[in-house]
Amino acid sequence: LAICAIRDAMAGLRTAPNAADGYIVLARAHLILDQIESTVMSAAKTPWNGVLRYQQAIAEWHQAALLRPDDVGIRYALASLFER
């Protein structure tokens, strides 16, 4: 489902690039993928740092924050990522 959410959010952002909700969906989906990939790689005992999904989520939450500067929930989500 995370892949479908990313695909649909990207399609929506192509038509409405200033839609903060699209970036929020992307950020959440990338964090879900991060959890899934980390779990799979850990079970396989394969080295994995998961930095790509983390950086994608940071960039997407940041873009959402720029589009909705007064949204405390977005700021909280972004701050929570920085604490990781």
Side-chain angles (χ1 to χ4, degrees), residues 23-44:
Y23 293 102
I24 292 169
V25 169
L26 282 175
R28 289 179 176 160
H30 279 122
L31 289 174
I32 290 168
L33 278 181
D34 179 48
Q35 291 173 349
I36 292 168
E37 290 169 348
S38 295
T39 301
V40 168
M41 298 305 272
S42 177

Side-chain angles (χ1 to χ4, degrees), residues 54 58 61 72-84:
Y54 173 77
I58 292 255
W61 279 118
V72 176
I74 292 172
R75 300 251 176 218
Y76 179 79
L78 186 57
S80 296
L81 277 180
F82 284 133
E83 289 180 347
R84 263 178 56 172

